[in-house]
Amino acid sequence: MPSASFPPGFLWGSATAAYQIEGAAREDGRTPSIWDTFSHTPGRTENGDTGDVACDHYHRRAEDVALMAELNLSAYRFSVSWSRVQPTGRGPAVQRGLDFYRGLVDDLLDRGIAPSLTLYHWDLPQELEDAGGWPARDTAYRFAEYAQLVAEALGDRVEMWTTLNEPWCTAFLGYGSGVHAPGRTDPVAVLRAAHHLNLAHGLGTQALRAALPARARIGISLNPSAVRPLTQSAADADAARRIDALANRIFSGPLLHGAYPRDLLADTAELTDWSFVEPGDEATAHQRLDMLGINYYTPAVVSHAEDPGAPRSDGHGASEHSPWPAAESVAFHQPPGERTAMDWSIDPSGLYDLLVRYGREAPDTALYITENGAAYDDKPGADGAVHDPERIAYLHSHLAAVQRALEVGADVRGYFLWSLLDNFEWAYGYGKRFGAVHVDFDTQVRTPKSSARWYAEVARTGTLPEPAGLPEPAGQE
Ligand code: FCB
């Protein structure tokens, strides 16, 4: 009989990102990041929403940490805003910026919540984009310098360090489809950016190891794609192989094995000869990984496209430009079944598959689910409470998938629910609510949803209740 309990010491966390929650965009020396520029450019985000105020977390830090304690969280994953601590992406650190994170970490530690710090969650200082951004090699060196500054300031009190969040999104959505900042649409820039992100991870890890105490654990958070072919045909299998290379092995190749996969280089040969990969770069990217973060929401179903001109969707926002270089022959499909408010299909088996795969591929690396969750159109009812039974069901089914992966030997050490708070969901603005805690963006009032209460019990007991223990769906308010 499978046990309903998670291993002792399993971390129960939630995750956020600086630009999505902090606000205070122009305070204490912070300068614009690419997301400030992008969100202030007409037409780039829903309703023209920006992160100027967001959840005002910069000023409500203490209240938010108290909320985490109320929800029994044992860990909290946050990101540092690069342009808050090193405004131009070069030179000395701004102490007032670092003070915010010192205070946050102290508040967390006071409450017994382990801080998990991500250095880069997509908000490149605008000046570095103006100098070429991630397609330019120098950005990787700038990142390593920034990593060192943050390590020197917080290394005495933070043990879990993540270099990059979802480099796939940075490269493919930021420089390919253009639905994320900086909004460029150049397939070669995508591949250059991906390489410089791998290099930045390697150089950044070296800088962190040099500056941090030996107890520090260093990793990266990827959003690997659980890719499935639509049919068993050889053509569909090849479409899945091609997307697996572009979504997954472009990162896991250098990071876990010290080399880019040959099929990726062959698939993209008409676009580039990859001469931007200099001798030694792949070895630099291949650093010891203490932790691998997996962010998972939904799988991808692909087929060979008979008609490359037909409309295609891959769930990452509307653009006439595909994020995928050299994949014109691939079509993306919506699997049948239930979907979240993002229109993402719900399929926990994708999480199971990824945990088992990376558990085998990186046997000496601890796995964490550094993001998982769902957006729904949550509104307070007449009683002021926010009932979100769909989110509870989503979390329950995905945590059950984590248990199944644990049972077959995947070394999973923690789970971070995306997200603590409803927040600025990038190009979708404030319309997509992923929070366990509802935020009224007019008043900044926080209201834990029923899912937050449910998750707090899971965190307190380390046990997943039987589905029968799920709260009743909300009544008709
Ligand atoms: C991930 C991002 C996170 C959030 C979720 C929904 O790709 O890392 O910031 O937007 O998706």
Side-chain angles (χ1 to χ4, degrees):
M1 270 294 284
S3 150
S5 291
F6 285 80
F10 191 88
L11 288 183
W12 295 101
S14 70
T16 62
Y19 191 70
Q20 294 181 273
I21 65 164
E22 284 180 3
R26 279 174 282 277
E27 284 179 45
D28 293 340
R30 186 183 178 281
T31 55
S33 73
I34 54 175
W35 267 98
D36 295 84
T37 308
F38 188 78
S39 64
H40 279 271
T41 305
R44 291 302 206 173
T45 66
E46 288 287 325
N47 293 315
D49 287 348
T50 74
D52 285 0
V53 178
C55 306
D56 196 31
H57 170 73
Y58 192 73
H59 300 117
R60 291 166 198 265
R61 178 188 95 205
E63 180 193 344
D64 290 340
V65 174
L67 206 48
M68 295 177 216
E70 202 184 302
L71 299 180
N72 304 322
L73 300 188
S74 48
Y76 173 55
R77 174 176 182 247
F78 63 97
S79 79
V80 172
S81 158
W82 188 343
S83 47
R84 201 181 281 295
V85 308
Q86 195 193 31
T88 60
R90 296 169 203 279
V94 169
Q95 293 307 317
R96 278 170 304 166
L98 284 171
D99 284 344
F100 170 74
Y101 299 104
R102 288 190 185 99
L104 171 64
V105 169
D106 288 346
D107 288 352
L108 291 167
L109 294 174
D110 283 347
R111 304 264 188 177
I113 301 170
S116 173
L117 183 156
T118 297
L119 285 164
Y120 186 75
H121 198 127
W122 305 353
D123 43 359
L124 190 71
Q126 182 61 42
E127 292 204 23
L128 293 185
E129 172 59 24
D130 296 343
W134 286 108
R137 185 176 177 88
D138 186 56
T139 303
Y141 291 89
R142 302 280 64 76
F143 175 77
E145 192 182 288
Y146 156 66
Q148 182 185 337
L149 292 181
V150 181
E152 283 166 355
L154 293 162
D156 58 339
R157 52 198 112 171
V158 174
E159 285 186 20
M160 284 183 279
W161 292 77
T162 294
T163 53
L164 306 173
N165 177 70
E166 301 190 0
W168 184 87
C169 293
T170 301
F172 288 70
L173 302 182
Y175 296 93
S177 64
V179 300
H180 278 187
R184 288 205 244 164
T185 54
D186 169 0
V188 178
V190 170
L191 302 173
R192 295 178 63 98
H195 175 60
H196 296 137
L197 286 154
N198 285 327
L199 182 63
H201 165 79
L203 295 169
T205 300
Q206 290 173 340
L208 291 176
R209 292 242 185 260
L212 293 173
R215 66 173 187 279
R217 285 175 292 144
I218 302 172
I220 186 167
S221 285
L222 302 176
N223 58 319
S225 184
V227 194
R228 278 123 189 219
L230 183 66
T231 73
Q232 300 307 310
S233 74
D236 287 359
D238 194 62
R241 177 205 57 74
R242 185 178 285 260
I243 295 304
D244 182 53
L246 286 166
N248 302 331
R249 290 181 287 116
I250 191 171
F251 300 107
S252 63
L255 299 179
L256 301 179
H257 311 294
Y260 284 102
R262 285 178 178 280
D263 60 330
L264 169 72
L265 306 184
D267 288 345
T268 54
E270 284 195 7
L271 289 171
T272 172
D273 61 4
W274 289 73
S275 54
F276 47 81
V277 180
E278 295 188 5
D281 282 2
E282 289 156 295
T284 301
H286 186 206
Q287 298 292 316
R288 174 164 64 84
L289 266 190
D290 304 316
M291 316 182 290
L292 178 60
I294 306 278
N295 296 355
Y296 175 80
Y297 294 91
T298 189
V301 177
V302 300
S303 71
H304 176 74
E306 289 304 336
D307 171 10
R312 302 177 323 141
S313 156
D314 58 12
H316 292 287
S319 168
E320 57 195 76
H321 302 273
S322 166
W324 306 100
E328 292 75 17
S329 61
V330 179
F332 287 78
H333 302 269
Q334 266 289 7
E338 279 181 63
R339 301 183 198 164
T340 69
M342 297 295 282
D343 219 18
W344 293 347
S345 76
I346 302 172
D347 185 350
S349 71
L351 179 57
Y352 171 86
D353 291 348
L354 291 171
L355 292 172
V356 171
R357 168 178 176 170
Y358 286 99
R360 291 186 183 139
E361 205 173 327
D364 300 325
T365 300
L367 301 178
Y368 290 83
I369 294 103
T370 40
E371 288 184 23
N372 178 239
Y376 288 103
D377 190 15
D378 308 307
K379 293 186 185 71
D383 58 354
V386 185
H387 295 294
D388 57 343
E390 307 92 339
R391 183 173 290 99
I392 294 175
Y394 181 100
L395 297 174
H396 191 285
S397 63
H398 286 75
L399 285 168
V402 176
Q403 286 192 324
R404 290 198 295 279
L406 282 162
E407 281 157 21
V408 298
D411 183 13
V412 188
R413 307 273 184 95
Y415 176 92
F416 292 80
L417 188 166
W418 185 272
S419 179
L420 177 70
L421 303 168
D422 291 337
N423 61 43
F424 174 74
E425 180 46 38
W426 309 112
Y428 294 94
Y430 296 97
K432 302 292 183 208
R433 294 179 175 272
F434 274 93
V437 175
H438 181 272
V439 177
D440 178 327
F441 292 104
D442 294 327
T443 61
Q444 293 294 345
V445 168
R446 276 90 160 121
T447 307
K449 305 176 189 176
S450 357
S451 61
R453 304 288 176 209
W454 179 87
Y455 187 63
E457 267 311 282
V458 177
R460 187 182 67 78
T461 58
T463 301
L464 199 54
E466 289 299 315
L470 292 175
E472 291 297 315
Q476 305 299 319
E477 270 121 37

